[in-house]
Amino acid sequence: MHKAPTMLRGAVLAALLMANIAQAAAQGGSGAVQAWLTTGDRSKLMARSPDLHFSRAKPADSVIDIDPATRFQEIQGFGASITDASAFLIQQRMNPAQRESLLRELFGRNPGLGMSFTRLTIGASDFSQSHYSFNDMPRGESDPALARFSIDPHRATVLPTIQRALAINPQLKVMASPWSAPGWMKSSDSLVKGALKPEAYDAFARYLGRYLSAMQSEGVPIFALTLQNEPHFEPDDYPGMRVDPASRAAFIGGHLGPLLAREHPGTTLFDWDHNWDEPDSPTTVLKDPVAARYVSGVAWHCYAGNVAVQAQVHAQFPGKDTWFTECSGGAWATDWAKNLMFFTRTLSIDTTRGWARGVLLWNLALDENSGPHLGGCKDCRGVVTIDSRTGEVTRNVEYYALAHTSRFVLPGARRIQSSEAAGELSNVAFRNPDGSLALVVANGAQAARTFSVRLKGQSFRYTLPGMSVATFAWDGKP
């Protein structure tokens, strides 16, 4: 079992990573292929390897053929959710210099990871220090006029965090999801458990519209909503709400969809926002002719089922986008190399080969006690860990898995054709708007694998250690 890197080691590694990235532009050179490596034994963490060059030498037995002319979905990017817990730690457990350094490292580019996709919670999740909505009322009372609506719970932590992230990276796209409607709109009259009452559909649609307006007024445009996080799950100890497919279709088609079209035409709607194991739920909504007009895509989580359903649903509804919007690592999975393989092979490679336009992990940051949280997951892990006593940052395996894509795949990139090599090699390739190419390759075998990457009759050869990941980036020319 590997021990987690110390905070000091993490800081040194991050400094080296930033220095390597800063060197890249100067050292790249026309025709050079940059190679960046993370190994399962952690001896290399986003380390710059010697540049490679295309040639007409005989390729290896395993070949990845790249065809930039065959293009698939447009990519928005990669990132993680700015939960209440993440924002609290960033704003109230880091000093100003630490805070600015981390936000630039995560959302900035050259140097930086360039995260360009994030998710906010509309009210509380389990990673909040209290259970709240933006329109709470005493039990037994209601507020259909939304006179008590306010986003004040986000002013101290979430708003300054997302505002600064947008200032650092104006290409950052923000989606948002509620974990529950206000309790008075639900069968339980509580944020915990219960279903959305049909007589509250209009009020809940206006509630979401008020949220969009309030965030826009704070300089935070929300490009996409889901109407409910994990609508088939009613947790016992934190906000949740059951909304079955027929209810979602009725709510979208009769209330939320028309409101968005009328008042917030810049915000789109994703259905589902739940696991791969129930594809019939989003397809039921997409088969509703009224609701389908307002749904632009399907959002997926990783906690049950198989990623292959993304492509299957896309084949049924090719006009609808695919997004991957949540997955968390945690103390239940202790093998660093296996985690690296899962987060890279399944979440970066398989989801985008399965038509995902964006990929989100769950908490951007948690503390040394997997929190703060109130109910829910007790052993989740953030992309980074922030020490609540010192503000020091530890970069977790999720950080490096994200870096292999977010650093090199720019907003507006298109996934392009890349053949799948034999054995345990997985890959995905992208063409950026400037014509540059990025290829991510993961070797899930224990032993090293040698392969060639071939483009227009020329190739370069590389040996990738076992349980390791490499990203190759070049100007697009062989």
Side-chain angles (χ1 to χ4, degrees):
M1 182 183 298
H2 293 293
K3 293 183 179 179
T6 64
M7 289 181 291
L8 178 60
R9 182 185 176 208
V12 171
L13 291 169
L16 291 172
L17 169 60
M18 295 299 104
N20 283 340
I21 292 173
Q23 266 188 314
Q27 294 180 350
S30 179
V33 178
Q34 298 177 23
W36 298 80
L37 175 65
T38 296
T39 57
D41 64 6
R42 288 181 280 183
S43 62
K44 303 286 186 183
L45 295 171
M46 275 297 290
R48 181 78 181 273
S49 299
D51 285 353
L52 306 164
H53 296 272
F54 282 94
S55 75
R56 296 195 179 276
K58 182 181 178 181
D61 291 338
S62 291
V63 177
I64 299 171
D65 281 302
I66 306 295
D67 178 11
T70 302
R71 301 177 188 178
F72 304 98
Q73 77 273 23
E74 182 177 308
I75 302 296
Q76 170 52 43
F78 303 82
S81 293
I82 300 175
T83 57
D84 285 345
S86 300
F88 168 79
L89 293 168
I90 290 168
Q91 293 297 324
Q92 299 190 11
R93 291 297 182 264
M94 305 186 89
N95 65 43
Q98 290 173 321
R99 180 184 312 127
E100 181 69 6
S101 176
L102 178 62
L103 290 175
R104 285 191 173 276
E105 180 182 337
L106 295 174
F107 295 99
R109 196 177 295 280
N110 297 326
L113 269 61
M115 291 185 181
S116 55
F117 186 27
T118 193
R119 182 180 182 221
L120 304 180
T121 68
I122 304 175
S125 72
D126 46 332
F127 286 93
S128 302
Q129 292 172 292
S130 65
H131 293 165
Y132 68 92
S133 77
F134 295 135
N135 202 146
D136 289 326
M137 296 294 293
R139 196 171 185 88
E141 297 183 26
S142 62
D143 181 22
L146 305 181
R148 298 269 296 271
F149 179 91
S150 173
I151 63 166
D152 283 353
H154 277 185
R155 292 195 183 280
T157 56
V158 173
L159 274 172
T161 304
I162 189 59
Q163 288 166 339
R164 186 60 191 142
L166 282 163
I168 292 168
N169 181 4
Q171 290 184 296
L172 177 67
K173 292 291 188 183
V174 185
M175 68 168 288
S177 307
W179 264 238
S180 174
W184 55 269
M185 299 184 188
K186 298 169 61 183
S187 60
S188 60
D189 196 15
S190 170
L191 294 173
V192 179
K193 291 196 167 185
L196 183 64
K197 295 188 292 191
E199 58 266 34
Y201 284 2
D202 179 68
F204 188 43
R206 289 185 287 108
Y207 171 87
L208 295 174
R210 287 283 295 274
Y211 169 79
L212 296 175
S213 297
M215 295 299 283
Q216 182 71 51
S217 72
E218 298 290 342
V220 183
I222 305 297
F223 96 102
L225 283 178
T226 60
L227 69 88
Q228 173 61 34
N229 172 73
E230 299 186 344
H232 285 193
F233 181 44
E234 294 177 74
D236 293 327
D237 57 0
Y238 66 94
M241 183 170 72
R242 181 169 294 276
V243 195
D244 63 32
S247 299
R248 297 202 309 277
F251 175 67
I252 293 167
H255 300 273
L256 182 57
L259 182 144
L260 292 179
R262 183 175 64 249
E263 300 180 13
H264 303 280
T267 301
T268 189
L269 187 62
F270 306 155
D271 186 51
W272 193 220
D273 212 10
H274 208 167
N275 292 327
W276 293 317
D277 64 335
E278 295 185 81
D280 288 348
S281 188
T283 59
T284 297
V285 174
L286 293 179
K287 288 174 183 176
D288 183 286
V290 180
R293 293 205 303 263
Y294 302 109
V295 176
S296 68
V298 178
W300 300 97
H301 295 184
C302 75
Y303 306 112
N306 192 295
V307 64
V309 303
Q310 291 185 186
Q312 294 164 11
V313 172
H314 180 268
Q316 285 183 266
F317 302 94
K320 303 299 183 182
D321 291 332
T322 301
W323 299 84
F324 183 82
T325 53
E326 188 184 314
C327 194
S328 182
W332 59 84
T334 58
D335 189 307
W336 203 94
K338 288 182 179 178
N339 288 331
L340 177 66
M341 289 299 99
F342 173 75
F343 284 103
T344 306
R345 298 180 76 192
T346 302
L347 301 189
S348 292
I349 294 174
D350 291 347
T351 62
T352 51
R353 278 191 171 270
W355 295 94
R357 294 192 55 201
V359 176
L360 286 175
L361 302 187
W362 184 206
N363 290 275
L364 182 66
L366 292 176
D367 67 17
E368 69 279 7
N369 298 311
S370 301
H373 68 90
L374 183 59
C377 183
K378 297 175 177 60
D379 55 358
C380 282
R381 184 174 55 237
V383 172
V384 299
T385 298
I386 296 174
D387 190 301
S388 62
R389 300 152 297 188
T390 66
E392 293 291 334
V393 174
T394 301
R395 291 146 189 89
N396 297 319
V397 62
E398 294 84 355
Y399 174 99
Y400 295 102
L402 279 174
H404 274 278
T405 49
S406 64
R407 169 68 181 87
F408 304 97
V409 183
L410 310 182
R414 297 285 292 271
R415 180 171 66 90
I416 59 175
Q417 177 65 39
S418 60
S419 63
E420 298 203 55
E424 292 291 324
L425 292 177
S426 303
N427 77 84
V428 66
F430 305 91
R431 183 184 187 274
N432 286 312
D434 63 3
S436 63
L437 301 184
L439 171 70
V440 183
V441 183
N443 178 13
Q446 294 294 326
R449 292 288 185 267
T450 298
F451 59 91
S452 289
V453 176
R454 184 164 56 195
L455 173 63
K456 296 180 180 178
Q458 298 189 49
S459 63
F460 65 83
R461 182 181 293 224
Y462 190 82
T463 298
L464 182 58
M467 305 294 282
S468 298
V469 180
T471 298
F472 306 97
W474 68 101
D475 63 8
K477 300 173 185 177

